């Protein structure tokens, strides 16, 4: 006789709902958005079907739509003209630059929408790296980069950013940025640290969108080796000590073990970045009719929640929120 029948909890839709352990809601989703100069511009990103680079006016319109879907946070990234890029990323702390103007415009139109802003040199760097490159040795200079990151963070906070997102992986940056923000009176500005950011080939379409691929070398001297998990826990300790408010793992789907390990270890809120290459793979296979794109999207988002994520940065945010609604 079989007394334990797990299938008894699966017999009907209602019972399955009743015993369901996790859920995905619009509250959990952060929408990454790309911004460009100009007006009335909506330029498709070829390797990310359904994603665009928006001029500020259309960006604001998109944010209003996301707000109506119940989304609470957008993560903005600037795509700059090459003429504005230099070796030190000086445009990154220009208070009249594209990015601070975009942040202010979004906050003015939608004060309740949280704006997260990316801190790293790559969109502004003629070298396409997240830090300053030593012109002789090619080394990515950690401590010299910190000053620029701090100025960038202050510029963004000044423009109204709610959440600073350092994605650069320089050592000590969270503490350095925290101190700089506090000194400038931004003690309520949140820091979501890209805690465990791996040197990943899943970022390809994003680099297309920003035209930000490294001009030489790779990012392996600052982003993490994808063979390592313990090292992610070391980064967690550092970020906690340096005052991070929210931790993040990136990429997502191939790193659910890292997400689960950090969930066990830390009491801070935890985010995961479902990155551009993960989005592109689902879109490409769905376009070919090889998978059910919507179903795979929802299954992936649920997997992040099950593994321990409190929030998900995902290019699927709008589509998923629409479906949930
Ligand atoms: C760069 C940055 C990258 C992403 C977010 N911030 C790319 C990189 O590190 O080269 C990737 C996001 C994605 O692939 O969706 N600071």
């Amino acid at each position: 006789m079989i007394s334990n029948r797990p299938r008894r909890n699966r017999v009907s839709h209602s019972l399955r709902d009743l015993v369901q352990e996790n859920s995905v809601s619009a509250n959990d989703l952060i929408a990454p958005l790309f911004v460009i100069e100009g007006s009335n511009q909506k330029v498709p990103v070829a390797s990310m079907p359904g994603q665009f680079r928006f001029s500020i006016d259309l960006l604001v319109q998109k944010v209003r739509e996301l707000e109506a879907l119940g989304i609470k946070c957008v993560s903005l990234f600037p795509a700059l003209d090459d003429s504005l890029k230099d070796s030190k990323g000086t445009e990154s702390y220009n208070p009249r630059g594209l990015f601070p103007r975009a942040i202010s415009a979004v906050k003015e139109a939608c004060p309740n929408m949280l704006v997260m802003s990316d801190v790293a040199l790559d969109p502004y760097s003629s070298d396409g790296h997240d830090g300053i490159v030593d012109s002789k040795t090619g080394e990515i200079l950690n401590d010299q980069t910190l000053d620029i990151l701090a100025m960038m963070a202050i510029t963004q906070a000044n423009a109204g950013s709610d959440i600073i997102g350092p994605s650069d992986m320089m050592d000590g940056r969270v503490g350095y940025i925290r101190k700089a923000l506090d000194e400038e009176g931004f003690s309520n500005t949140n820091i979501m640290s890209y805690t465990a950011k791996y040197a990943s080939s899943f970022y390809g379409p994003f680099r297309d969108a920003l035209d930000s691929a490294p001009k030489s070398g790779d990012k392996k001297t600052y982003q993490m080796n994808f063979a390592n998990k313990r090292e992610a826990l070391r980064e967690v300790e550092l970020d906690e000590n340096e005052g991070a408010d929210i931790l993040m793992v990136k990429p997502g789907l191939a790193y659910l073990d890292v997400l689960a390990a950090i969930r066990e270890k830390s009491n801070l809120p935890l985010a995961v970045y479902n990155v551009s290459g993960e989005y592109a793979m689902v879109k490409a296979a769905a376009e070919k009719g090889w998978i059910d794109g919507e179903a795979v999207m929802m299954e992936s988002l649920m997997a992040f929640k099950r593994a321990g994520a409190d929030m998900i940065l995902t290019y699927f945010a709008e589509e998923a929120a629409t479906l949930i609604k």
Side-chain angles (χ1 to χ4, degrees):
M1 213 220 7
I2 303 172
S3 53
N4 275 303
R5 292 183 180 274
R7 289 186 57 192
R8 260 196 306 264
N9 282 340
R10 304 177 196 139
V11 290
S12 68
H13 192 73
S14 298
L15 198 47
R16 288 195 295 277
D17 278 355
L18 192 68
V19 301
Q20 180 164 321
E21 299 173 31
N22 292 287
S23 62
V24 178
S25 89
N27 286 338
D28 308 321
L29 306 174
I30 299 175
L33 295 170
F34 305 117
V35 59
I36 53 173
E37 278 298 355
S39 63
N40 202 26
Q41 298 293 309
K42 182 183 176 186
V43 184
V45 181
S47 48
M48 301 174 74
Q51 301 300 309
F52 302 86
R53 304 175 193 85
F54 296 103
S55 53
I56 292 178
D57 51 342
L58 297 192
L59 176 78
V60 167
Q61 205 172 300
K62 176 54 70 185
V63 174
R64 285 187 210 276
E65 290 167 20
L66 296 173
E67 188 166 47
L69 287 168
I71 288 176
K72 303 294 190 300
C73 184
V74 292
S75 177
L76 305 181
F77 296 93
L80 295 186
D81 196 78
D82 272 347
S83 64
L84 289 170
K85 300 183 184 183
D86 61 28
S87 61
K88 295 214 161 108
T90 50
E91 180 65 12
S92 67
Y93 49 90
N94 172 6
R96 283 168 300 281
L98 168 67
F99 202 45
R101 277 185 281 120
I103 294 168
S104 299
V106 169
K107 286 307 291 185
E108 197 170 312
C110 304
N112 294 324
M113 178 64 86
L114 295 168
V115 169
M116 172 172 172
S117 55
D118 197 69
V119 165
L121 257 60
D122 54 327
Y124 315 93
S125 156
S126 45
D127 298 306
H129 275 287
D130 294 18
I132 299 174
V133 182
D134 184 312
S135 55
K136 287 190 202 77
T137 63
E139 186 184 340
I140 310 301
L141 301 171
N142 194 88
D143 299 15
Q144 289 88 324
T145 298
L146 295 181
D147 282 317
I148 299 176
L149 299 176
M151 288 192 283
M152 200 184 304
I154 288 165
T155 307
Q156 295 171 0
N158 228 340
S161 174
D162 301 286
I163 304 175
I164 301 295
S167 70
D168 54 282
M169 290 303 277
M170 296 301 115
D171 290 335
R173 88 256 204 230
V174 170
Y176 204 89
I177 291 169
R178 182 70 273 156
K179 182 163 174 285
L181 287 171
D182 290 350
E183 281 170 3
E184 293 294 321
F186 295 112
S187 54
N188 281 333
T189 302
N190 194 299
I191 297 180
M192 185 192 298
S193 175
Y194 285 64
T195 301
K197 177 172 177 179
Y198 288 86
S200 169
S201 296
F202 285 100
Y203 307 150
F206 175 95
R207 294 177 188 171
D208 291 346
L210 299 195
D211 188 21
S212 64
K215 296 286 181 290
S216 69
D218 53 41
K219 299 192 174 185
K220 289 180 182 167
T221 67
Y222 46 108
Q223 298 179 348
M224 287 176 54
N225 178 349
F226 56 69
N228 297 351
K229 178 159 85 173
R230 271 200 321 266
E231 193 181 338
L233 300 178
R234 185 177 181 211
E235 292 282 4
V236 167
E237 273 170 32
L238 293 172
D239 278 356
E240 287 189 330
N241 291 335
E242 291 177 35
D245 300 288
I246 301 173
L247 306 178
M248 189 210 292
V249 173
K250 177 184 176 192
L253 285 176
Y255 297 82
L256 293 180
D257 59 326
V258 177
L259 197 60
I262 295 181
R263 176 70 300 155
E264 287 278 297
K265 169 110 176 182
S266 177
N267 292 321
L268 286 177
L270 183 56
V272 64
Y273 201 142
N274 178 211
V275 299
S276 59
E278 302 173 55
Y279 176 84
M281 290 195 301
V282 175
K283 285 290 173 193
E287 261 176 27
K288 282 192 176 281
W290 291 349
I291 59 170
D292 176 339
E294 267 185 4
V296 168
M297 165 181 81
M298 292 313 295
E299 186 176 335
S300 306
L301 297 176
M302 191 66 83
F304 293 130
K305 294 295 301 287
R306 194 187 64 233
D310 299 302
M311 64 201 91
I312 309 161
L313 290 96
T314 178
Y315 302 96
F316 288 118
E318 181 175 12
E319 207 178 326
T322 306
L323 201 67
I324 292 165
K325 207 169 190 180

